Amino acid sequence: MTSTERKVNKIDALLRACRLMLRMSKARPEPRKSEIMYYQMLADYYTRLLNAREAGDFVAAHTVFFPSEIMYAMDIVPMHLETTSWMTALFLGEYADLLSAGAELGLAPEICSPHRGLAGAFAIDALPRPNVILWSNMVCDNTAKSGELLMKLTGCPGFFLDHPFQNSEGEMNYLVEELADMVRFLEEQSGRKMDWDRLSQGVARMDRQIELLRQVGKLRQAVPSPFHPQGFLELLTIDYLFAGRPEATEYLETLRQELAEAVSQGKGAVPKERFRLMTLFLPPMYLIGFLERISQEYGAVSVTEPFFCSWGEGRLDPSKPLESVARKSYMLPEMRMYGPLDDRALSEIVDSAKQYKIDGAIYYADIGCRHTCATIKLFKDVLDELDIPVLTLDCDVVDPTIASEEEIRDKLERFFELLEDR
Amino acid sequence: MTTPTSRAENAKLHVLDRFRRVTQTFPKTDEILGYKSQGKKVFGWLCTYAPEEIIHAAGALPIRIVGYSHETDLEDGTAYFYVNNCSFSRSCLQLGLRGEYEFLDGVVGGSTCDGARRLFDLWRNYIGTPFHHVLTVPRKYIERAHNLYHDQVRQFHRHLEEFLDIQITDEALRHSIEVYNESRRLLKALYDLRKLSAPPITGAETMEVLNASFRMPKELFNDYLRELMDGLSTSGNSYEGRARLMITGSHLTNPEFIKSIEDTGGLVVTDELCTSTRYWSDPVVLDGDQTPLQAISKRYLNNFPCARMFPSDERFERILNLARDFRVEGVISQIIKYCVPYAHDRPLLTEKLQAQGIPTLSLDVEHGTSGSGQIQTRVQAFLEMLESRQR
């Protein structure tokens, strides 16, 4: 990579931001070990990506909910596209250049901003060129439709993983065959063979990680809740970027231990917990710092995120690695939003609301996310029956022009007042 | 405006009024309510990947659930769906919420796009239609995708049999396939007339015919269409325009939109829309040892693809073929806001058309728009640009 490429490369900037966050975490009066591990993992992730070309590594850029376990088992460097998009907004606070480049390609403003930005990023070489593009229809039309344009922009070959909509035996078999085709594609493109033993080990670790995630979820039911107000984003990122990795297990073990200790001491994540909240969908990434501060200020903690943190039932079987990877995709919390929105999804909201003793819910209505926003009324009605108020915040996950910090503050403060009055 | 070439006024074809009448009173048309009054069932389908022949073979009437064919407030639709879902889905839901589809005995959907699957979800939760079924529709054309879809079609077949407490026989399916294929043959013949230098029917009139095609019993529609074809062959009608246009993109049912384009002088000769060419283009082919259900599922998955399918080149290739066959000079890509599958494809398709020397006018619209005002101004400028290329 030339120095000029490094200069415009968002990965370089992200890496510097991760290292800064790492230093800040270490410098806290009471450093949280899991937080330090988290930022170290992020820094390592982006370091490997940044140096991939020089190291002769093979890079696969992939959309969200793609099984990165498979890439790790083949010693392929994954580049999680949407997370990289979010991180750019979260850590760098700059996204306008990418959206502008996406608009120049002719992408309509209604297309979700992370995907418009990703296309723009590749068009202006703000992201390093991968070796292949992998994408799937899990979880929306944007993920399903983004791949072909990215292939054209990067000049890379690509593989589209067709994830069935429902969960019958036939559909599970279909997905397993899709995954097998993807492995063959990666073998052909990378010249590397799948290491099935390594994948089995990854699946075994993933099984453990799911169990740890469930235990972490259980600990968050405690009053006061021990995990910091926007902590679920760490849990998401861990699964998105490090599924089946040893360091992810280590992080989750450490976090579970920390939370267990806090619960045993009756110690909450905020000085005085006043409002226990359910978070529905992704908050604006460029406001995470602000959301963390206002949560601390008002004693408002997100204790449950049913579509991000409530894993489905079941275990993974390392002796059947590919089947397990397919099975895992049906256990993902987000899968409840992908298949038919039946009683399974609605009962999860009710169960979460009761188990986590929530006072209110915040629905982040991301203007570019159609399939989630179409559930606002439905979920509100479900929570209404439990007499739980819902605040709907219009926003965009990366574009600050949709909702400013002032607007969000104003609405949150009024919502907290309403909760207080109740 | 689009002008008759051989006489001052083209002959009025009265059979077109019948198609218009069906359209104007939809959803509660005389044809549908008459069917219901005989004690028969009516099922609504939400997307072209729902196989109509199976409903027809069950002795029921399949009709397409669509929204308003004109611009209107979507207060209820937006309240339930939110503003960032396409106005087509919101429009359908609003009609459902307001009881306009209260006669339906069932709703059949597919996992085709985010709007369609959420429309199905909300319909099931808020509108009391007795029967619901959603099909997983793969996005690929490979053999295992066909096997999966066939399995889905069989499940739907079985579910419908259970609900109606009947057997849907292969014989009934074969008959339904013939009825629907006849419709497809007739519509192809109608479209072939539009390949002429001066077609006997306008794009707006064609849309009125197409709207009726999924809003009434197919046998009756076929009778009307035969009568129209006879009328067209003897009418001597002919239309020319400043440029031959194709319309691509999202769901479109408002003939006024096409009329507004033709009023500025464009002649719409073909389209790539799920309410027209993509609806009727491919027949069900019964050959060899295939069961009727296998033939039906193969046709529906292989049909002229929606932008949801992969690879997109299959759709692009078909569009380029249409452009060549109908001697298209310009394409109007009308995409409903938040119709993401088509919006993603637009840059790629525009480039492919450009490579064939066919310019594209990109219009972002709301469902039901009549295409007045700014849209007409843009079409006018587009036509001027096309004319300057011809000089």
Side-chain angles (χ1 to χ4, degrees), chain B residues 361-377:
Chain B
L361 171 65
S362 296
L363 297 177
D364 294 314
V365 300
E366 293 293 2
H367 176 72
T369 184
S370 62
S372 56
Q374 198 193 21
I375 287 179
Q376 262 192 327
T377 308

Side-chain angles (χ1 to χ4, degrees), chain B residues 292-346:
Chain B
L293 283 183
Q294 281 171 327
I296 287 169
S297 58
K298 190 168 186 182
R299 182 271 173 191
Y300 275 81
L301 198 62
N302 270 351
N303 190 32
F304 197 135
C306 169
R308 72 180 293 278
M309 297 296 283
F310 172 81
S312 301
D313 276 341
E314 172 73 16
R315 173 173 164 256
F316 296 158
E317 204 54 43
R318 292 240 202 169
I319 291 171
L320 294 175
N321 288 342
L322 280 180
R324 189 194 58 229
D325 294 348
F326 286 81
R327 289 174 289 129
V328 166
E329 294 161 290
V331 167
I332 295 181
S333 158
Q334 61 87 35
I335 298 183
I336 295 175
K337 285 173 188 158
Y338 297 105
C339 178
V340 164
Y342 285 89
H344 267 283
D345 272 358
R346 183 185 263 170

Side-chain angles (χ1 to χ4, degrees), chain B residues 347-363:
Chain B
L348 294 169
L349 178 59
T350 301
E351 192 178 286
K352 284 187 185 293
L353 288 164
Q354 192 65 45
Q356 299 298 314
I358 303 170
T360 302
L361 171 65
S362 296
L363 297 177

